[in-house]
Amino acid sequence: MTRYQAVGIGNAVIDVLSECDDNFLANMGIEKGIMQLVERERGEMLYGAMKDRRQAPGGSVGNTIAGLGNLGLSTAFIGRVKDDALGQFYASALEDAGTAFPNRPIAGAELPSSRSMIFVTPDGERSMNTYLGVSSEISPADVPEEVAGECDILFLEGYLYDRPEGKEAFTQAARLCRAGGGRAGIALSDPFCVDRHREDFRRLVRELDYVIGNEHEWESLYQTDLSSALEQAASESGLVVCTRSGHDVVITDGTELVEVPVTRVVPVDATGAGDLFAAGFIYGMAQGADLAISGRMGCVAAAEVISHFGARPETDLKALFRKEGLI
């Protein structure tokens, strides 16, 4: 039986990217710089309006797991796709990159594979319009015990809490991981997701081994300023990580607080910055690095992914870590 160093569970989403300007966003009624869920009809309309489309396998935790695969860890991703063109593309791209995808594409699924229409403006901001499709139907039946129960680190996507079945799948995966001696953590996903599930996420902060979020997510979780939110989180959680756009990353395990400096980079496309930060940080955890080194690894990985279009690394991240003296 294979034991994985890192396993993710989340929405299996194909990213479809197109460049545009602010006028296009306004004309299409797209709110700039955030992720919006869209229904099937609007998703098809936006897809048709995209020029020079490029597609890549995506999904928040899927991107993180791809980054960990790039770094040489043995990885798997738990998610759902339909046996259609986009679903086949997602599964093959994941496995070609060395990440196991134990959930085979579903023949005859009523809903199509999920896709996120991402419009990138010249300032690098991305406006994401996500149609969840079949990935939103993930349930405990999609969680293989031999995968979730045989991993060192499990990373869970907060968006799964938007459906009861996803919540159950999430809970089962975390239980299996920890019963098998692994560590389980969560990405808070976005402030709106936190607003919807504040009570559940507050409980998860207390129960899980690590939690990663940005400043807006932490402020939303505790409904207070960032300093107070992190102080409260640190008193409840094993490990708290907070990214802040253009500012130091704050990491605390309750006994030690580390601020990791960030080198500002003008993004080509900010898609996946938080996802790849998580990849670098979790890699450091997996290697037993201290909090400062793990945080710096996250920053280097995030800087790489925003230097080009798409949410997955195009460079050998481990080589970048060596260049920075991190390994």
Side-chain angles (χ1 to χ4, degrees):
M1 183 180 293
T2 301
R3 184 166 182 90
Y4 297 97
Q5 291 170 288
V7 171
I9 176 170
N11 288 305
V13 181
I14 294 86
D15 288 341
V16 186
L17 296 102
S18 177
E19 297 176 61
C20 72
D21 57 23
D22 288 347
N23 288 332
F24 176 90
L25 297 181
N27 291 336
M28 299 299 289
I30 297 170
E31 189 169 347
K32 183 175 179 178
I34 69 166
M35 194 287 288
Q36 294 176 297
L37 294 177
V38 299
E39 297 300 323
R40 187 171 182 172
E41 184 177 349
R42 177 161 172 80
E44 290 173 350
M45 183 272 289
L46 292 175
Y47 184 82
M50 302 182 89
K51 295 181 179 179
D52 300 319
R53 294 187 294 256
R54 283 168 281 183
Q55 67 184 36
S60 176
V61 167
N63 293 334
T64 299
I65 294 300
L68 290 165
N70 175 287
L71 284 160
L73 298 193
S74 57
T75 55
F77 179 72
I78 298 168
R80 286 170 63 92
V81 297
K82 183 178 180 177
D83 190 13
D84 54 16
L86 284 177
Q88 292 166 6
F89 166 76
Y90 190 96
S92 62
L94 208 64
E95 294 189 336
D96 288 348
T99 291
F101 189 53
N103 309 87
R104 304 315 306 163
I106 303 161
E110 181 179 344
L111 298 178
S113 294
S114 311
R115 74 285 313 267
S116 182
M117 282 65 68
I118 303 173
F119 296 92
V120 185
T121 43
D123 58 3
E125 281 289 337
R126 83 282 194 219
S127 305
M128 305 172 71
N129 300 265
T130 303
Y131 169 62
L132 287 178
V134 73
S135 75
S136 67
E137 296 185 330
I138 194 167
S139 73
D142 299 303
V143 180
E145 185 170 350
E146 68 275 13
V147 177
E150 291 291 336
C151 69
D152 296 331
I153 297 176
L154 180 71
F155 194 40
L156 304 156
E157 188 173 301
Y159 289 126
L160 293 184
Y161 260 68
D162 281 333
R163 286 175 59 92
E165 298 85 356
K167 184 176 178 179
E168 291 167 13
F170 184 115
T171 301
Q172 177 169 308
R175 177 182 57 78
L176 289 168
C177 168
R178 301 182 86 188
R183 290 176 285 176
I186 182 177
L188 293 178
S189 293
D190 78 19
F192 304 107
C193 185
V194 172
D195 286 342
R196 294 191 294 271
H197 307 293
R198 183 172 290 108
E199 185 176 335
D200 280 326
F201 283 6
R202 288 283 301 274
R203 175 179 54 79
L204 290 170
V205 167
R206 294 190 296 270
E207 293 179 358
L208 296 180
D209 299 294
Y210 65 99
V211 183
I212 300 176
N214 66 34
E215 56 192 313
H216 306 298
E217 292 155 4
W218 284 113
E219 288 173 341
S220 174
L221 185 63
Y222 290 99
Q223 298 178 287
T224 186
D225 64 274
L226 183 61
S227 178
S228 299
L230 292 181
E231 183 177 348
Q232 188 164 349
S235 71
E236 297 179 352
S237 177
L239 179 60
V240 168
V241 183
C242 176
T243 59
R244 300 182 296 168
S245 180
H247 298 279
D248 292 355
V249 173
V250 179
I251 307 167
T252 178
D253 61 3
T255 59
E256 178 186 9
L257 187 145
V258 173
E259 295 190 12
V260 180
V262 172
T263 302
R264 293 184 66 91
V265 176
V266 177
V268 172
D269 170 18
T271 310
D275 306 335
L276 266 294
F277 172 86
F281 183 81
I282 291 171
Y283 177 79
M285 285 176 53
Q287 301 301 308
D290 64 29
L291 297 182
I293 293 295
S294 297
R296 184 65 191 138
M297 286 176 171
C299 293
V300 170
E304 190 282 335
V305 83
I306 67 174
S307 70
H308 56 76
F309 283 99
R312 299 196 171 185
E314 295 181 351
T315 305
D316 182 343
L317 295 178
K318 194 175 287 187
L320 294 180
F321 291 173
R322 289 195 187 97
K323 183 178 178 181
E324 294 290 327
L326 300 174
I327 57 175

